[in-house]
Amino acid sequence: MQLSERTITEAIIKTYTEKLLDSTSCDVVIVGGGPAGLVAASDLAGGGWKTALFERKMSIGGGMWGGGMMMNEIVVQEQGKEILDEFGVGTVPFTDGYYTADSIEAVCSLGARAVRSGARIFNLVSVEDIILKENAAQGVVINWTAVQMAGLHVDPLTIDSRYIIDATGHPSEVVRVIEAKVDIRLMTPSGGVEGERSLWADRAEQTTLDNTREVFPNVFVAGMCANAAFGSYRMGPIFGGMLLSGRKAAKMIADRLRSPKEDDRQQP
Ligand code: 48F
C-alpha cells in the first residue's frame, strides 16, 4: 500500500474534530490533568458522565512526574495506596503506613484509565475563563496554549458544562479568574481565594479532602487547588490526598448529577 500524506492529515483532522465536537456540551469539565484531575476524570467517565479534561501542557500528570525534587518516586499512605492498587500501579511498602510508587507508572496508569473510562482529554488547551450565566458557571472558555504563549489576539471557543472541577493545582486558576472577574463571593471564608500556606504534610493531606467541595455555583475545587482556595497548607510529594480529593470531587458531582433537585429540596 502506498501511504497517502493526505489520508494521514484527513484522519487526524476528522477524528480530532469529531472528538472536540462531541465535547462541546459536557456533564463535567475538569481543568488540569494532574493526579486529582485524572482520578476525577476516570471516576466520572467510568460512571457514565460525559467528561472532558483540558490540560494546558503537552503532557498530563502535573506535578506527579517529578516525584520529590526530580526523584521520580511518590509517597502515598494506606488510603492512597488503595486507589493506586485499583489503577494497577505497583506500590512498595516503606515503613508503617507509607508506600512508594514509581511516578512514571503512576501518571501513565492514571491517564490510561481516564481515557479508557471514556474521558476525553485535550492536552495543549488552556482554560482561560468560565461562561457565567444566572450567577453560576455554565461552562469554560478555552484556547490553544500556543495562542496564549505567542500572545496572539485570537478569540477563544467555549465548552458548555453542568459542572466544572478546578484541578489546576497550586495556581488555582479557575477560581482566581472568578475572583478577579465575577462580582459574587466565593464560598470561602473571605469570599476570595484564601491562598496556599507553607508546608505541613499531615494537616494538608486531611484539609485537602475537607476543602474538596463547591467553591462557586457549579465549580468544585480538587487537589492542591482546594487547599489554595480555602487557605490551607501544602504537603510536598505525598500524593494520597490528591488521589482521594479527585475521587471525592467526582462523587460529589455524580451525586448532584443524579439528583439535580436535591439541593433545591434542602433549601428552607
Ligand atoms: O499541579 P498538579 O499536579 O495538580 P494536583 O492534581 O496535584 C498537585 C501535586 O502535583 C503536587 C502537590 C501534592 O503532592 O502539591 O503539586 O492538585 O496539576 C495541575 C495541572 O493543571 C494544569 C497544569 O499544567 C497541571 O498539569 N493547568 C493549570 N492551569 C491550567 C491547566 C489551565 N488554566 N488550563 C488547563 N490546564
Side-chain angles (χ1 to χ4, degrees):
M1 183 184 82
Q2 281 271 342
L3 286 178
S4 151
E5 291 80 6
R6 180 177 156 194
T7 306
I8 296 167
T9 301
E10 285 175 351
I12 289 172
I13 294 173
K14 185 165 187 298
T15 49
Y16 186 88
T17 308
E18 281 170 1
K19 199 160 60 170
L20 190 56
L21 273 174
D22 190 48
S23 303
T24 53
S25 180
C26 291
D27 291 316
V28 189
V29 160
I30 298 165
V31 188
L38 289 173
V39 171
S42 281
D43 284 6
L44 284 160
W49 305 109
K50 197 168 175 193
T51 306
L53 184 155
F54 294 95
E55 166 54 52
R56 162 176 294 147
K57 295 188 177 157
M58 184 117 87
S59 51
I60 53 161
M64 209 178 214
W65 296 109
M69 219 179 92
M70 298 205 289
M71 299 180 207
N72 62 4
E73 290 285 326
I74 57 167
V75 173
V76 291
Q77 53 288 60
E78 199 67 48
Q79 284 176 300
K81 175 195 179 300
E82 285 168 18
I83 297 188
L84 291 183
D85 288 346
E86 199 189 301
F87 280 76
V89 180
T91 53
V92 179
F94 185 69
T95 183
D96 303 341
Y98 294 79
Y99 299 84
T100 59
D102 183 294
S103 69
I104 309 300
E105 185 188 357
V107 171
C108 295
S109 303
L110 297 184
R113 170 71 72 91
V115 174
R116 289 171 186 161
S117 299
R120 294 273 166 75
I121 297 186
F122 298 93
N123 60 337
L124 297 161
V125 178
S126 293
V127 170
E128 60 173 55
D129 208 338
I130 58 162
I131 302 173
L132 179 77
K133 289 185 201 171
E134 316 289 351
N135 294 335
Q138 311 274 355
V140 294
V141 178
I142 57 168
N143 213 332
W144 304 115
T145 300
V147 164
Q148 290 191 339
M149 290 174 76
L152 299 173
H153 184 169
V154 178
D155 268 318
L157 293 174
T158 56
I159 302 289
D160 287 355
S161 188
R162 294 165 73 186
Y163 293 99
I164 297 162
I165 300 178
D166 185 347
T168 60
H170 297 264
S172 50
E173 294 204 12
V174 178
V175 285
R176 286 212 179 268
V177 165
I178 296 171
E179 179 187 44
K181 293 192 170 188
V182 180
D183 195 18
I184 302 170
R185 288 169 62 85
L186 298 174
M187 299 166 189
T188 58
S190 71
V193 178
E194 304 296 337
E196 173 188 310
R197 302 173 73 182
S198 288
L199 197 149
W200 185 353
D202 186 56
R203 181 68 66 89
E205 282 288 276
Q206 184 51 47
T207 57
T208 306
L209 272 190
D210 300 340
N211 292 332
T212 299
R213 51 188 146 123
E214 196 173 25
V215 69
F216 184 78
N218 302 340
V219 179
F220 286 70
V221 281
M224 195 54 221
C225 172
N227 277 352
F230 284 94
S232 188
Y233 303 89
R234 64 189 303 199
M235 72 292 295
I238 180 150
F239 281 79
M242 298 298 115
L243 306 171
L244 293 162
S245 168
R247 173 145 291 175
K248 181 179 172 189
K251 182 174 183 326
M252 291 173 94
I253 291 174
D255 288 347
R256 193 79 76 80
L257 283 162
R258 264 192 295 272
S259 54
K261 297 287 174 217
E262 191 63 25
D263 274 2
D264 299 346
R265 283 203 294 274
Q266 283 169 7
Q267 298 297 322

